[in-house]
Amino acid sequence: MEKVLIIGAGGQLGSELTSALCDQHGNDAVIASDLHETAKSKFDYCRFQQLDVMDNDSLKKLIKSESITQIYHLAAVLSAVGEKKPLFAWQLNMESLLSILEIAKESNLDKVYWPSSIAVFGPNTPKTNTPQFCVKEPNTVYGISKQAGERWCQYYFEKYGVDVRSLRYPGLIGYKSLPGGGTTDYAVDIFHKAIEGETFECFLDKDSYLPMMYMPDAIKATLDIMNAPRESVKIRSSYNLSAMSFSPKELFEAIQTEIPEFSILYKPDFRQEIADSWPDSVDDSHARLDWGWNHQFGIKEMTRDILVNLPNFQF
Ligand code: SER
């Protein structure tokens, strides 16, 4: 029987992935963990353990005492916060990954999941339909840590057989948690302002295209790659993953179709430079070919779904 540990479960992805993993493995087979004890309130349906991923002894003890077989390591400092605290972001993002890969090597962990990001790309990367294999010269600390992390994942797979799997997520958009310090998070925040009847101040320019994905698709992709047979997962750095691509103006217009009085102001800040260094759109044909990836949500379906569900959601 699998026993699953989610690290950083209280974040944007973990909040939704945890319940999907409970559906798959059973509530008793899943432990949600987070640095913040307050995250516990999100997990009344499964076990919760407060855990600092940087505390190697506690991490090892938990994995051993609970006979953990799979780890989803989601704890990270994202792009915008990372630029404010570069050394902290590097330390947290890298050291935590390395300690989990070491534990996986030494113990009999079955699989590890670690998210990468479009942030591995940089200003010299082809901007449109960005290929899986191309120049990557990230210029954010978050991107540098994800790029280095990808190399370490491949290294541990090749040298030690650690079955680590990874996706380069586009901007993830969900309504079940609040934005968490990323450059793509304007596309989360905008829905809250629309529902509250406020003008949205957008920190990116109206024509800044970025690859994006609605959370149910991200959850599906994560489960799909983790459930794929080992030999189907041919890329052991991280897979390009794509669903849609839009600009702030296009998202605003999609919301305005549903809420005609909604208004927006564009006030680009330091995050514009980060967005400018990332692709407009990404080619994910390897994921589609190797393990059958297929997305479901486009901008219209996502917008309608969020506007229907967000007002009823309790944080
Ligand atoms: N959503 C992330 C960010 O904006 C990118 O992976 O930082």
Side-chain angles (χ1 to χ4, degrees):
M1 184 183 125
E2 297 290 355
K3 190 84 183 275
V4 180
L5 174 65
I6 302 140
I7 298 172
Q12 190 196 17
L13 179 61
S15 304
E16 303 201 36
L17 186 61
T18 303
S19 72
L21 287 168
C22 283
D23 290 344
Q24 184 180 331
H25 297 283
N27 294 8
D28 293 340
V30 174
I31 301 177
S33 76
D34 200 276
L35 175 63
H36 305 290
E37 182 75 37
T38 47
K40 188 176 181 167
S41 60
K42 294 187 177 186
F43 305 108
D44 54 2
Y45 54 86
C46 69
R47 275 184 55 202
F48 176 83
Q49 174 70 50
Q50 191 278 334
L51 179 76
D52 179 355
V53 68
M54 302 299 273
D55 177 352
N56 207 259
D57 289 343
S58 302
L59 180 63
K60 275 188 181 159
K61 254 186 225 155
L62 181 69
I63 290 167
K64 197 163 178 220
S65 64
E66 295 291 342
S67 309
I68 298 295
T69 61
Q70 289 190 14
I71 294 183
Y72 289 74
H73 172 29
L74 311 180
V77 176
L78 294 188
S79 61
V81 173
E83 291 311 284
K84 301 280 178 200
K85 299 178 186 173
L87 294 184
F88 171 69
W90 175 257
Q91 198 185 9
L92 178 83
N93 293 1
M94 288 319 302
E95 281 183 24
S96 62
L97 173 63
L98 283 172
S99 77
I100 288 165
L101 290 174
E102 267 298 296
I103 292 171
K105 177 184 123 187
E106 284 162 8
S107 61
N108 51 0
L109 273 191
D110 183 26
K111 286 176 208 166
V112 175
Y113 180 76
W114 175 79
S116 187
S117 158
I118 50 164
V120 293
F121 302 114
N124 298 326
T125 297
K127 249 193 147 11
T128 311
N129 236 359
T130 301
Q132 172 73 39
F133 303 105
C134 60
V135 173
K136 293 176 206 66
E137 293 176 352
N139 59 8
T140 62
V141 141
Y142 176 66
I144 299 170
S145 74
K146 288 295 179 190
Q147 188 194 37
E150 287 190 5
R151 304 318 313 146
W152 279 116
C153 288
Q154 184 156 355
Y155 188 89
Y156 270 76
F157 173 74
E158 284 173 1
K159 306 281 170 184
Y160 310 119
V162 172
D163 190 354
V164 49
R165 305 176 180 203
S166 178
L167 300 170
R168 289 177 186 149
Y169 290 123
L172 299 184
I173 305 166
Y175 61 85
K176 296 186 182 171
S177 60
L178 296 168
T183 302
T184 57
D185 284 343
Y186 85 84
V188 179
D189 201 21
I190 192 170
F191 285 99
H192 292 261
K193 297 294 182 296
I195 298 281
E196 286 154 16
E198 288 179 34
T199 297
F200 178 59
E201 268 193 22
C202 187
F203 58 73
L204 295 185
D205 213 354
K206 61 182 189 331
D207 297 320
S208 296
Y209 277 85
L210 285 169
M212 297 281 188
M213 181 174 283
Y214 191 30
M215 194 58 85
D217 272 338
I219 301 297
K220 180 176 170 294
T222 310
L223 298 181
D224 283 357
I225 191 174
M226 285 300 273
N227 291 331
R230 189 179 166 109
E231 59 282 6
S232 304
V233 184
K234 299 192 174 109
I235 293 174
R236 292 298 182 150
S237 49
S238 189
Y239 276 92
N240 276 10
L241 188 71
S242 164
M244 57 184 134
S245 181
F246 56 73
S247 64
K249 181 166 175 275
E250 287 174 353
L251 182 58
F252 166 67
E253 285 167 357
I255 297 173
Q256 212 186 29
T257 308
E258 311 289 327
I259 307 178
E261 62 280 13
F262 185 43
S263 58
I264 190 165
L265 274 176
Y266 298 98
K267 289 197 174 171
D269 66 12
F270 74 100
R271 288 167 280 196
Q272 184 64 49
E273 197 184 328
I274 301 178
D276 288 344
S277 75
W278 290 351
D280 289 356
S281 58
V282 161
D283 171 13
D284 64 353
S285 47
H286 285 271
R288 289 175 193 263
L289 204 70
D290 289 357
W291 42 272
W293 163 241
N294 214 344
H295 72 280
Q296 286 172 349
F297 287 87
I299 185 168
K300 267 193 207 137
E301 302 81 42
M302 173 188 79
T303 301
R304 277 200 203 114
D305 201 58
I306 296 180
L307 291 176
V308 167
N309 288 296
L310 179 59
N312 309 318
F313 198 77
Q314 304 284 322
F315 289 96

